[in-house]
């Protein structure tokens, strides 16, 4: 089976020291270490997959979709907005960064 | 609950009812209109004849009816937008080998034939090489590689347009017992004319692919990201 996504980690929400904004998630992309390298990933769709006890449409795996919106800082972290905000329990978990919508 | 008393004016100068509504409310249609004679003043003897046109003076000095602004109906702006197919990426030219990123054939390499009127790309495996038939795909879900098949002498049939690929309308259920129990659930055979179309469309493409060493097995292989590979570092 072809792997057509790269991995990222959900670090947390966009925040100041004392207040967080859950509508924007911060994603650390694997093998991406600078702001210049993140330009490829802008606009790419992101999927957070998780398991649930009940099966829906024949599968226990569920998905939350989002898109990478812009870089965050200078070290390759990016901001992403999801259709529905990510649950805080997802912090530290892996997220799939797809290769589409493609611009190559 | 008592009805709120209506204010005569919504804002200074803007009455709640339009001029026509006021006319009908006052039943002014019942009142006979008196015609006033238009008085033209003849210049008195000895006075200077004015060289300025009377209508111009009237027009310039006329007070604007403040209420008329509220009564005017805004005409919708005529749009000059045209429905056009999205621009084809420069890297995608007829014969380019594309990598599918999503859908049933994700990871597979296919040959691009032409862009259809809807903007979708017409691709083929070719079917003989990797089992991918003539298909439409959105260019956002495709990566164009630098590998190109020489299709300069090949012309895509004009019959392959968006209508050709439209889904057939599923017959409405008539509610018979057989249908309910799924006895009719047999896979429909692929239409024979489509199989024939595939063969004729692929003939020249397969011939062009055969000329390049390893290209046939390249199209049969699929793309995947291996461990440690980041797409932003790859050169397609």
């Amino acid at each position: 089976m072809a792997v057509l996504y790269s991995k990222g980690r959900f670090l947390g929400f966009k925040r100041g020291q004392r207040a967080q904004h859950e509508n924007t998630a911060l994603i650390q992309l694997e093998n991406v270490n600078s702001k210049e390298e993140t330009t490829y990933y802008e606009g790419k769709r992101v999927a957070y997959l998780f398991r649930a006890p009940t099966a829906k449409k024949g599968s226990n795996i569920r998905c939350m979709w989002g898109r990478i919106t812009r870089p965050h800082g200078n070290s390759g972290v990016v901001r992403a907005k999801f259709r529905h905000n990510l649950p805080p329990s997802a912090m530290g978990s892996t997220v799939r960064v797809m290769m589409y919508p493609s611009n190559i | 609950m008592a009805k709120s008393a209506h204010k005569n004016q919504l804002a200074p100068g803007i009455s709640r009812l339009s001029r026509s509504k006021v006319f009908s409310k006052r039943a002014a249609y019942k009142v006979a209109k008196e015609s006033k004679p238009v008085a033209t003043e003849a210049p008195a003897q000895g006075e200077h004849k004015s060289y300025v046109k009377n209508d111009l003076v009237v027009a310039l000095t006329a007070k604007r009816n403040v209420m008329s602004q509220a009564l005017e109906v805004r005409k919708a702006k005529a749009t000059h937008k045209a429905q056009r197919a999205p621009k084809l990426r420069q890297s995608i030219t007829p014969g380019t080998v594309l990598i599918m990123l999503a859908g049933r054939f994700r990871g597979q390499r296919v040959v691009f034939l032409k862009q259809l009127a809807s903007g979708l790309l017409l691709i083929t495996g070719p079917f003989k090489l990797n089992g991918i038939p003539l298909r439409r795909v959105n260019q956002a879900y495709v990566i164009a590689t630098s590998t190109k098949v020489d299709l300069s002498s090949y012309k895509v049939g004009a019959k392959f347009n968006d209508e050709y690929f439209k889904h057939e309308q599923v017959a409405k259920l008539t509610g018979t017992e057989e249908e309910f129990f799924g006895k009719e659930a047999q896979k429909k055979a692929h239409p024979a004319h489509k199989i024939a179309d595939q063969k004729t469309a692929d003939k020249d493409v397969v011939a062009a692919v055969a000329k390049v060493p390893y290209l046939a097995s390249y199209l049969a292989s699929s793309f995947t990201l291996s461990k440690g590979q980041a797409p932003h570092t790859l050169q397609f």
Side-chain angles (χ1 to χ4, degrees):
Chain A
M1 205 56 233
V3 168
L4 291 165
Y5 56 87
S6 59
K7 290 198 222 162
R9 281 221 178 267
F10 170 41
L11 300 176
F13 300 116
K14 174 176 147 221
R15 58 179 301 167
Q17 187 175 39
R18 301 199 160 92
Q20 69 180 15
H21 305 280
E22 300 89 2
N23 50 22
T24 308
L26 302 178
I27 311 281
Q28 182 164 63
L29 302 165
E30 258 185 21
N31 303 313
V32 178
N33 298 310
S34 71
K35 196 158 95 169
E36 290 73 41
E37 291 174 16
T38 64
T39 54
Y40 165 84
Y41 297 94
E42 276 170 25
K44 298 289 181 284
R45 299 188 70 196
V46 189
Y48 166 62
L49 293 139
F50 57 102
R51 286 182 180 272
T54 56
K56 294 246 170 149
K57 288 190 177 175
S59 172
N60 277 31
I61 300 173
R62 298 194 196 170
C63 185
M64 294 176 79
W65 283 100
R67 285 172 193 258
I68 291 178
T69 54
R70 50 173 286 188
H72 181 79
N74 295 320
S75 307
V77 176
V78 289
R79 297 188 197 178
K81 278 192 164 215
F82 283 76
R83 212 177 276 168
H84 293 281
N85 296 347
L86 287 182
S89 55
M91 283 193 208
S93 61
T94 308
V95 121
R96 289 190 189 184
V97 180
M98 315 311 278
M99 292 170 76
Y100 53 82
S102 162
N103 197 28
I104 299 181
Chain B
M1 201 167 70
K3 273 192 185 170
S4 58
H6 289 299
K7 260 191 186 167
N8 187 30
Q9 303 216 309
L10 298 171
I14 304 172
S15 60
R16 186 176 63 87
L17 297 176
S18 67
R19 212 191 302 161
S20 54
K21 286 262 159 66
V22 170
F23 185 86
S24 38
K25 196 171 185 203
R26 284 178 53 213
Y29 50 86
K30 291 184 185 167
V31 179
K33 242 188 181 173
E34 344 153 320
S35 55
K36 291 184 191 158
V38 179
T40 49
E41 291 170 30
Q45 270 191 347
E47 277 184 45
H48 297 285
K49 195 167 141 197
S50 70
Y51 289 100
V52 184
K53 285 199 179 154
N54 216 21
D55 327 55
L56 183 63
V57 174
V58 170
L60 288 175
T61 57
K63 273 194 204 163
R64 260 180 86 231
N65 184 1
V66 183
M67 290 205 275
S68 71
Q69 212 180 16
L71 300 172
E72 267 167 26
V73 179
R74 276 245 184 96
K75 231 199 293 181
K77 239 188 191 180
T79 53
H80 299 284
K81 289 186 183 177
Q83 284 274 6
R84 268 187 210 104
K87 218 160 73 162
L88 190 61
R89 244 181 273 152
Q90 274 196 332
S91 52
I92 302 177
T93 59
T96 309
V97 173
L98 308 172
I99 299 175
M100 309 274 266
L101 295 173
R104 183 173 169 189
F105 302 110
R106 56 185 163 275
Q108 304 267 50
R109 296 181 171 101
V110 295
V111 178
F112 167 70
L113 298 178
K114 73 169 184 184
Q115 184 181 34
L116 303 172
S118 63
L120 300 173
L121 313 180
L122 173 64
I123 55 110
T124 184
F127 188 78
K128 212 171 171 196
L129 301 180
N130 52 21
I132 299 170
L134 284 161
R135 212 164 203 262
R136 295 187 295 175
V137 72
N138 190 317
Q139 59 176 318
Y141 294 87
V142 133
I143 284 184
T145 63
S146 52
T147 311
K148 312 241 187 253
V149 179
D150 184 19
L151 293 184
S152 48
S153 55
Y154 169 69
K155 205 166 183 272
V156 188
K159 69 159 128 181
F160 299 122
N161 52 13
D162 290 297
E163 280 302 310
Y164 180 86
F165 293 100
K166 265 218 165 90
H167 279 294
E168 271 177 41
Q169 293 291 330
V170 179
K172 265 192 169 172
L173 299 169
T174 50
T176 57
E177 225 179 76
E178 288 91 41
E179 272 183 14
F180 185 77
F181 287 111
K183 286 195 183 140
E184 302 258 325
Q186 288 157 356
K187 233 182 156 180
K188 278 205 183 132
H190 200 68
H193 73 276
K194 287 212 169 171
I195 298 174
D197 286 340
Q198 183 74 49
K199 285 211 179 108
T200 51
D202 280 356
K203 205 158 54 133
D204 293 331
V205 183
V206 174
V209 165
K211 290 195 189 136
V212 182
Y214 301 111
L215 190 53
S217 49
Y218 176 66
L219 288 171
S221 67
S222 59
F223 171 82
T224 185
L225 284 172
S226 56
K227 192 172 164 86
Q229 259 188 337
H232 74 278
T233 57
L234 297 180
Q235 191 78 18
F236 290 99

